[in-house]
Amino acid sequence: MRTLGAIEARERLEAWRGSRVYVHLEVNPEAYVRNASATLDEVGVFGDGLYRLHLRFRDPDGLLYIQDVTEFIEDGSAVVAMGLDGQHRVRQTVTVSLVPLDVGKVE
């Protein structure tokens, strides 16, 4: 894993515009979407320190918006945007990848 700056994260995601991507969104406690797949159409990263991430999709059409992102990480073939709380616990994550994410077994 490698930490990315906001500009670098936006550039990495922008390079995937027009590509089919897989998205994993998790909001704690206990809400998530795994391997939603669509074509990435637009990318926006806004803010300074606390960021807002906008991802617009087509085929199917959709919009993902997440605020209070505190860091971006490159993890292999994925870009991860995370929001940590005041105690450095993960509050929310969005992972965007060109390959499906391992979903494991549902229990």
Side-chain angles (χ1 to χ4, degrees):
M1 290 196 306
R2 182 173 73 89
T3 300
L4 303 173
I7 293 170
E8 189 177 14
R10 181 185 48 77
E11 289 171 350
R12 174 74 185 269
L13 291 168
E14 284 278 345
W16 294 347
R17 285 181 64 194
S19 298
R20 192 91 181 154
V21 296
Y22 297 86
V23 178
H24 169 80
L25 168 68
E26 186 167 343
V27 179
N28 287 328
E30 302 176 12
Y32 63 89
V33 174
R34 288 190 176 146
N35 279 334
S37 179
T39 301
L40 184 59
D41 197 35
E42 293 178 24
V43 176
V45 178
F46 308 98
D48 186 20
L50 283 178
Y51 300 97
R52 296 180 317 277
L53 175 64
H54 294 252
L55 301 173
R56 184 172 302 278
F57 303 98
R58 60 182 161 79
D59 187 31
D61 293 340
L63 173 69
L64 187 147
Y65 167 82
I66 185 169
Q67 62 184 14
D68 297 336
V69 172
T70 56
E71 60 187 89
F72 297 92
I73 297 170
E74 179 181 48
D75 186 9
S77 63
V79 173
V80 181
M82 294 191 308
L84 304 177
D85 68 12
Q87 297 176 336
H88 295 359
R89 296 176 299 195
V90 176
R91 242 180 25 163
Q92 57 202 12
T93 63
V94 172
T95 303
V96 181
S97 177
L98 292 173
V99 297
L101 303 164
D102 181 16
V103 295
K105 184 177 178 180
V106 177
E107 295 182 24

